[in-house]
Amino acid sequence: MRALSASIVALLFVASSALAQQARLDLGTPATPERIRGWDIDVRPDGAGLPPGKGTVEQGEKIYAEQCAACHGDKGQNPAKGFDRLVGGKGTLATPKPVQTVGSYWPYATTIFDYVNRAMPFTAPNSLTADEVYSVVAYLLYVNDIVPRQAIMDAQELQKVKMPNADGFIADGRPDTEGLKCKADCK
Amino acid sequence: MSVSRRRILASGAAIAIGGLSTNSREARAGTVPPDVPEWMHEQGRPILSPAYGLPSKFEKDVVRRIREPRATDTEAFSVTPLQDLHGIITPSGLVFERHHAGVPEIAPDQHRLLVHGLVDRPLILTMDDLLRFPAVTRIHFLECSGNSSTEWRKSGYHSVQRTHGLLSCCEWTGVPLSTILGEVGLKSDARWILAEGADAAAMTRSVPIEKALDDAMIVYAQNGEMLRPEQGYPVRLFLPGFEGNMSVKWLRRLKIGDRPWHTREETARYTNLLANGKAYQFAFEMDVKSVVTFPNADRSFKAPGFYEISGIAWSGRGHVTRVDVSVDGGATWRRATLQEPVLDKCLTRFRLPFNWQGQPLEIQSRAYDDKGWMQPTRSSLIAARGTNPRYHFNAIQGWKVAADGVVTNAST
C-alpha cells in the first residue's frame, strides 16, 4: 500500500512537471544581466545588494543638513509636523507613548540604506550617489549613538551594525483572541 | 442651535441630494402627481454627453475624502464613502487611495515588468505580453491594514467613511502570479518574492512564495476596464485577503529570493507594536470584520417606523458565514440576512429589518468567518495587543443613535 502511494505521488509529480513544461507560453523577452543591473536596487540585511562605495559621518552631516533636515529636523530632532522623527525614543516601545524612530525601532541598518536610496530625499527620490547614501546612513547611526563619529560605512561595515531593536520583532501571533473562536452555530 | 440639530438638518440635505426621499424637501411645482413633470414633455440629453458616463449631478457629494490634512498630499490617503454605497462593488472612482509618493503617470507602452532572481529564465514583460497570458477574473476586497486604526485610541470620528473607508471591493482581472512564475521557472530554494512599484517611493514588500503560488494575481483591469491610475495603472500585484500595502501598485519588478528583505515597509511600518514592546512582523491576513453602514452619521432614521439596517462584512482568511446585529450595545443579538453571492476574501452585504420606536440605540455588528473566527470586541482586542499597534484593528464597531436620530461613534 505504501509502495502504491509512493508511486502515485511519483506519477503526479511527473504529470505536474509535464504540465508545467507544456504550459510554458514563451512570452516576454529574456532579461540579460546588463538589463537587470539598472533596476536591481534592493538591499538585504545580510548585505546582499549593497553597492561599492563608502561614506563618513561628517559627509553625512552635510548632506543631511541640505537634503533631509527641512522635513526631519535638525539632527533628526523636532521634525516638521507630519514627518518622521529619526532619532531618540529608546526605552519607549513598551510604554503608552512609543516613539518609533530609526534608532529605537528599525531592526536593520541595511534597511536605512535601501530606503534612503530608493525613496529619499522626498523631493528627488533615488538621486543620491552610493557614497552619499552611505554617508547619510553613517550620520543617522551616529546621531542615534549606534556608531562613533569617526565611523566609515561601506558594504562590509554596514551589515555588521547591530541595531538596538534587532530582537524586537516576533512572528505574527494572530489570531490572538483565542476565546473568540466561534463554538456553535457558526456556519 | 445644538450640534445635533445641525447634524439632523445636514442629514436631511444629504437625503435630498441622494434623491432617496421626496417628502424630505418641497417637490418642485408640477413635478409630482397629479402633475406630469416637464422632462416627460421634451427630449432628454443626447447620447455621448459625455462619452464616458458620470454619476448624476445630484450625487456630487458621493466622493472620496481625506480624513484630515497631512504634511503632504502625495504621501497621503483618501477614504471611500461607504455610507453612500450599496451592494458590494466599489465604483472605480471611489476606491480608497493610499500613496507613498503620489500617482505616477505611466504610458503602458513604456512600462516593463522585470521578473528575476532565483529563476531559470529571467524575463522582461511588456503590457502586450501580460495581456496575452491566460487571464482570470475575481471579486475581492482591498483593505489598508491601517483601516480603523484610529479606533485603537478612540477616534472621535462619527462618519463610517472616516472610521472604515480604507476599504474597497472590486472585480479584478489579470494573470495568476503562479502562471508567470511557471514561465520563468522557480529554483528549488525560492521562498520569498520582492515586489517593487514604479512610483517615486519604489514601494517594496516581501511576499511569501506560498501566497504567490496560491491566489496572487498580476492585475491590469478593475471593474471591467483597465486599472485607474490611482490603483496602479497599468499593472499591479494583487494579494487577496492580505493587507492592502502588499498589493504593490505600478508593479515594475518581481525578484525571487530565499528570504524576506525586511524593507522599510515591513519593519518601520506595517508592523504591530504590542504592549510589551515587541512587534508582530509579517502580519499579512486581514482578520474577520464588519461594520454597519446604515444608519450613519450622514443619513439616519428620521422618524419612527420601518428601516433596514445594512452593512458589510469580510474576512481575509476566507468567507463570511454569519453576521449578528445588536441594537442594544451588544446585550442581545439578531442574525442578519447575508446577500448572495458570499465570496472568499470579498465584501458581503448584510441586512436586518428594523422598526424604530424613536428610542436611543447602540447598533453593533459582529461577523464570523469559515475558519471559525468571530470579530472581537474592542476591549478583548486591546487585552490581546494593547493600544500601540497602528494596524489590523478589526473590533466590533458601535454606533449610537440618539432619540433625534443622530448617529455618533459609540467608542468616543
Side-chain angles (χ1 to χ4, degrees):
Chain A
M1 189 65 202
R2 176 177 279 189
L4 184 62
S5 305
S7 66
I8 288 171
V9 169
L11 193 68
L12 281 173
F13 182 76
V14 171
S16 65
S17 317
L19 192 66
Q21 290 292 318
Q22 278 174 12
R24 265 192 69 195
L25 305 169
D26 283 324
L27 295 172
T29 309
T32 60
E34 293 71 36
R35 286 187 175 242
I36 292 170
R37 192 175 301 133
W39 283 21
D40 191 12
I41 59 172
D42 54 272
V43 169
R44 290 197 318 202
D46 62 0
L50 281 170
K54 62 176 192 300
T56 65
V57 173
E58 199 179 331
Q59 289 163 326
E61 188 168 26
K62 218 180 290 174
I63 297 161
Y64 181 91
E66 289 165 7
Q67 309 245 33
C68 319
C71 297
H72 293 293
D74 188 33
K75 297 183 172 60
Q77 304 279 5
N78 305 315
K81 192 173 185 305
F83 290 94
D84 277 12
R85 188 172 149 187
L86 305 180
V87 176
K90 253 185 260 178
T92 66
L93 296 185
T95 71
K97 286 192 175 172
V99 179
Q100 294 162 261
T101 72
V102 169
S104 70
Y105 196 61
W106 290 40
Y108 300 109
T110 49
T111 304
I112 315 172
F113 187 101
D114 180 80
Y115 184 67
V116 170
N117 181 53
R118 69 174 59 245
M120 291 290 125
F122 193 75
T123 50
N126 202 0
S127 63
L128 300 179
T129 66
D131 284 356
E132 288 173 327
V133 179
Y134 277 119
S135 301
V136 169
V137 174
Y139 176 69
L140 289 176
L141 293 172
Y142 165 69
V143 288
N144 275 295
D145 298 325
I146 295 165
V147 302
R149 189 165 177 92
Q150 65 274 18
I152 295 173
M153 280 298 134
D154 60 14
Q156 286 243 308
E157 289 303 308
L158 192 56
Q159 59 180 294
K160 279 195 242 161
V161 172
K162 167 99 171 156
M163 297 294 277
N165 195 42
D167 302 323
F169 294 83
I170 57 176
D172 179 14
R174 300 171 311 138
D176 46 11
T177 46
E178 189 60 49
L180 293 168
K181 196 87 182 175
C182 180
K183 289 181 185 73
D185 196 18
C186 310
K187 311 244 159 144
Chain B
M1 190 194 300
S2 71
V3 171
S4 59
R5 179 84 200 287
R6 277 206 308 276
R7 273 223 200 98
I8 266 279
L9 291 175
S11 74
I15 288 168
I17 288 162
L20 292 167
S21 169
T22 47
N23 55 15
S24 67
R25 63 170 174 169
E26 208 60 24
R28 260 195 299 144
T31 61
V32 297
D35 298 331
V36 174
E38 65 203 38
W39 50 83
M40 292 189 74
H41 295 303
E42 60 189 19
Q43 292 297 306
R45 222 172 52 189
I47 60 163
L48 297 178
S49 58
Y52 193 109
L54 295 168
S56 161
K57 68 178 182 183
F58 301 109
E59 300 295 323
K60 66 180 171 43
D61 291 335
V62 180
V63 290
R64 294 182 289 214
R65 293 183 171 85
I66 58 167
R67 203 155 62 190
E68 56 203 20
R70 276 166 86 93
T72 78
D73 53 11
T74 55
E75 198 284 292
F77 63 90
S78 67
V79 282
T80 292
L82 299 175
Q83 70 277 11
D84 298 310
L85 299 185
H86 308 271
I88 58 171
I89 297 293
T90 310
S92 298
L94 296 177
V95 173
F96 79 87
E97 303 169 275
R98 174 61 175 116
H99 314 311
H100 292 72
V103 182
E105 187 178 276
I106 303 173
D109 62 348
Q110 303 294 302
H111 190 72
R112 296 293 182 275
L113 174 61
L114 170 63
V115 189
H116 71 119
L118 298 177
V119 301
D120 299 325
R121 297 171 294 277
L123 280 181
I124 294 172
L125 298 166
T126 63
M127 288 310 298
D128 285 346
D129 293 332
L130 286 169
L131 284 154
R132 286 174 61 188
F133 279 92
V136 294
T137 295
R138 297 186 191 127
I139 305 175
H140 290 300
F141 76 82
L142 181 72
E143 184 184 20
C144 176
S145 55
N147 195 27
S148 326
S149 64
T150 49
E151 305 307 304
W152 285 107
R153 294 177 184 231
K154 301 191 178 184
S155 69
Y157 293 129
H158 301 299
S159 150
V160 67
Q161 181 169 13
R162 288 189 158 79
T163 58
H164 287 73
L166 285 166
L167 169 73
S168 298
C169 184
C170 295
E171 182 200 83
W172 308 97
T173 298
V175 187
L177 179 51
S178 58
T179 303
I180 306 279
L181 297 178
E183 201 70 4
V184 294
L186 292 177
K187 302 248 193 229
S188 62
D189 50 348
R191 295 290 178 276
W192 289 80
I193 300 182
L194 184 77
E196 184 177 77
D199 57 339
M203 174 53 63
T204 322
R205 289 294 303 258
S206 303
V207 179
I209 199 80
E210 294 79 9
K211 184 65 173 178
L213 293 172
D214 179 17
D215 58 358
M217 298 167 73
I218 304 291
V219 157
Y220 47 75
Q222 168 191 13
N223 293 339
E225 59 185 354
M226 291 301 279
L227 287 172
R228 292 294 169 91
E230 309 96 288
Q231 290 304 316
Y233 183 87
V235 66
R236 76 179 301 169
L237 183 63
F238 194 88
L239 305 179
F242 274 26
E243 59 183 7
N245 176 255
M246 299 181 72
S247 288
V248 172
K249 296 180 281 189
W250 314 290
L251 185 69
R252 77 155 192 167
R253 190 162 71 101
L254 294 168
K255 184 178 185 177
I256 290 80
D258 61 354
R259 66 195 74 176
W261 274 258
H262 297 277
T263 69
R264 184 254 196 183
E265 313 299 339
E266 56 207 25
T267 54
R269 293 290 195 280
Y270 301 101
T271 47
N272 303 264
L273 184 59
L274 307 176
N276 65 5
K278 300 287 183 193
Y280 289 161
Q281 191 185 18
F282 301 124
F284 299 140
E285 292 93 348
M286 299 309 295
D287 280 317
V288 63
K289 189 167 173 181
S290 69
V291 67
V292 166
T293 58
F294 179 83
N296 59 63
D298 300 310
R299 197 159 58 82
S300 180
F301 307 151
K302 290 181 61 68
F306 177 81
Y307 295 91
E308 190 171 66
I309 295 171
S310 174
I312 42 178
W314 63 101
S315 170
R317 300 181 189 272
H319 66 265
V320 170
T321 53
R322 168 178 163 185
V323 178
D324 298 334
V325 171
S326 172
V327 296
D328 53 15
T332 60
W333 296 88
R334 280 201 287 160
R335 201 154 170 167
T337 302
L338 304 187
Q339 171 69 60
E340 297 285 342
V342 176
L343 302 172
D344 256 18
K345 302 163 188 177
C346 184
L347 295 191
T348 296
R349 172 68 56 177
F350 65 85
R351 301 187 175 100
L352 185 76
F354 181 64
N355 256 299
W356 188 45
Q357 305 301 321
Q359 77 277 32
L361 311 169
E362 183 183 331
I363 303 182
Q364 301 182 354
S365 63
R366 75 178 174 208
Y368 301 71
D369 71 16
D370 64 331
K371 304 298 181 289
W373 293 102
M374 183 175 85
Q375 191 178 1
T377 61
R378 183 170 176 276
S379 57
S380 66
L381 191 59
I382 288 171
R385 288 179 226 159
T387 55
N388 285 341
R390 297 196 230 169
Y391 307 97
H392 291 285
F393 184 92
N394 72 316
I396 291 169
Q397 172 69 43
W399 302 114
K400 281 194 169 140
V401 182
D404 59 3
V406 168
V407 171
T408 53
N409 190 335
S411 77
T412 54

